[in-house]
Amino acid sequence: MTDSTLELAPRFRVTLAPAAARVLLVGVVAVALGGATSLGQTFLPEEAASLANSVTGWTLPTVALVFVTARSSTEAAVAGAVSFVALTVGYAVVSTLRGFPFDPTTWAVIGLLAGPVIGAATIALRRSRMHAAVGGGLLAGVLIGEGVYGLTAIAATTGPVFWWAAITVGVGLLVAVAALRVRDLRSRLVLVSVAGLTASLFVVAYLALPSVFGLL
């Protein structure tokens, strides 16, 4: 071990500790929010019932938590995964205590896969214009994609209000990013293109999920 390594090691440990604390904070808050979502099902109108069983319901609080706390792309990715899983666990625990058993396995697996992507996309909003275009497009695409999926694939079993709300929030995010972060034509084209591609892939992936989990 060289002298330079010895000098850098304490600084690395000092940097790592606050990052771990911030990720832990994200996890604690996410558990509470997941539990609150379960409780909210008792009081929410039927139009908003899909909130507790949607990617949008987990994505929005994750984006908020990561945007406020994360300081690096790596931290954002880890915090995104922690948030998704913690939201699911919080919801499952409270729902089970209320007499409505909920198996968090499926959503936890989805969270481990999607959480890092959502986290990285969130912190990209604070980076360069092109990073913001890709990150904003991805986040908006997830919301719009789930809205489209809800209005088409599961329209017979769910109300349309929540899904239209998800699409509206997604489009609103596109407008906000275009107005505040990416004001040149090239970046805006990337923003819209990524949103459209992500929305399309989301619908395809969600349609395939039952078959995928049926094989596990």
Side-chain angles (χ1 to χ4, degrees):
M1 184 177 292
T2 64
D3 292 339
S4 59
T5 304
L6 288 171
E7 292 174 0
L8 289 174
R11 186 181 304 174
F12 177 75
R13 287 196 296 269
V14 170
T15 302
L16 184 61
R22 288 191 296 267
V23 171
L24 178 61
L25 175 62
V26 167
V28 171
V29 174
V31 167
L33 290 175
T37 301
S38 176
L39 293 174
Q41 285 184 303
T42 304
F43 308 103
L44 288 173
E46 182 179 349
E47 292 81 1
S50 297
L51 173 66
N53 192 32
S54 68
V55 172
T56 298
W58 277 189
T59 297
L60 293 179
T62 296
V63 169
L65 289 171
V66 171
F67 190 83
V68 170
T69 62
R71 299 293 184 271
S72 70
S73 297
T74 300
E75 182 183 336
V78 174
V82 168
S83 177
F84 261 75
V85 174
L87 284 162
T88 304
V89 171
Y91 176 82
V93 170
V94 174
S95 294
T96 301
L97 291 175
R98 294 174 60 226
F100 304 100
F102 176 80
D103 184 355
T105 304
T106 298
W107 282 105
V109 171
I110 293 174
L112 286 174
L113 297 175
V117 178
I118 296 299
T122 299
I123 202 168
L125 296 174
R126 304 207 305 253
R127 303 304 193 214
S128 68
R129 284 181 300 180
M130 194 56 66
H131 281 89
V134 174
L138 192 148
L139 294 175
V142 167
L143 302 179
I144 294 170
E146 184 169 43
V148 171
Y149 172 82
L151 290 172
T152 55
I154 54 175
T157 56
T158 60
V161 176
F162 178 80
W163 306 121
W164 278 115
I167 292 174
T168 301
V169 173
V171 172
L173 178 60
L174 279 179
V175 173
V177 173
L180 301 175
R181 294 291 291 113
V182 293
R183 299 180 180 180
D184 61 293
L185 179 59
R186 179 169 174 244
S187 297
R188 286 179 173 177
L189 287 175
V190 170
L191 173 69
V192 175
S193 298
V194 172
L197 178 60
T198 302
S200 300
L201 291 176
F202 183 99
V203 174
V204 172
Y206 244 55
L207 289 173
L209 271 182
S211 299
V212 172
F213 280 99
L215 296 174
L216 298 180

